[in-house]
Amino acid sequence: SKDTGFSRSYGRNPYSGYDTSKRPFLFGGEVDERLAALERVVAVSVGEADVAYPFSVISKVRVVHDRVGGSEVVVFHQGGTTSALDGSKISTSRDVGAAAVFDPVVDGRRLSFEWRDGFRDRETGSTWNIFGQATGGPLLGKAMTPVVHGNHFWFAWAAFRPDTIVYQP
């Protein structure tokens, strides 16, 4: 019920425009200026190594093969996730996408990926989804092991992990 006894604009996003503002509100810390404060990143920590992959970069290339803390990883980015912090109506807000990180070894075989109208491994031509599951081809039904990661705003991640390496292609 919207009848709560309080005068609120229920049904309207109170954070409209937040993810495109210059500085996050309610944050009094120093902002690491290597990226815009509200740049979305997928951040990975392996051992003592922390790497942040900016959405502005990975949304263009869609697939990144990298090493973090001595471990090989593959980063996927796919459109289709709407920002909850953009417009006053989430249904008309911009697409920011989503990212996920995996160990690219399946059944003892190291796979390399590319974007060709979807994620595809070069070795078998199998298609994969953002969850690291093979959806077609010889590896149908197989899955990669997820690497622990998080999708964050840069300012929040960098406040806790200031030594993070920012991925650059």
Side-chain angles (χ1 to χ4, degrees):
S1 169
K2 293 181 182 179
D3 185 15
T4 64
F6 294 95
S7 177
R8 298 277 191 271
S9 182
Y10 294 107
R12 189 167 186 279
N13 184 355
Y15 302 106
S16 178
Y18 179 80
D19 64 353
T20 55
S21 60
K22 295 289 183 205
R23 181 168 174 85
F25 70 88
L26 301 178
F27 177 72
E30 290 297 316
V31 174
D32 182 325
E33 295 182 1
R34 291 180 289 164
L35 294 173
L38 291 155
E39 167 83 38
R40 283 180 166 80
V41 298
V42 59
V44 181
S45 295
V46 178
E48 298 297 314
D50 302 305
V51 179
Y53 300 86
F55 275 33
S56 61
V57 173
I58 63 175
S59 65
K60 293 179 179 107
V61 297
R62 311 257 186 141
V63 176
V64 172
H65 288 274
D66 202 8
R67 292 186 75 80
V68 179
S71 297
E72 290 192 40
V73 299
V74 62
V75 179
F76 284 179
H77 182 279
Q78 181 174 325
T81 300
T82 303
S83 172
L85 302 172
D86 180 44
S88 60
K89 291 180 72 177
I90 293 172
S91 63
T92 60
S93 292
R94 68 189 177 96
D95 181 348
V96 294
V101 183
F102 305 97
D103 177 344
V105 175
V106 175
D107 290 341
R109 184 178 194 180
R110 185 167 318 286
L111 301 175
S112 58
F113 293 86
E114 61 187 349
W115 178 265
R116 285 192 319 189
D117 295 324
F119 304 109
R120 187 176 303 270
D121 73 71
R122 292 181 181 104
E123 290 71 21
T124 72
S126 296
T127 55
W128 298 77
N129 64 23
I130 191 72
F131 303 108
Q133 303 161 333
T135 57
L139 296 179
L140 176 66
K142 299 287 184 180
M144 289 183 283
T145 302
V147 173
V148 176
H149 63 279
N151 290 264
H152 304 284
F153 284 120
W154 171 243
F155 83 91
W157 178 260
F160 291 95
R161 302 286 189 157
D163 295 329
T164 296
I165 297 165
V166 175
Y167 172 79
Q168 296 178 12

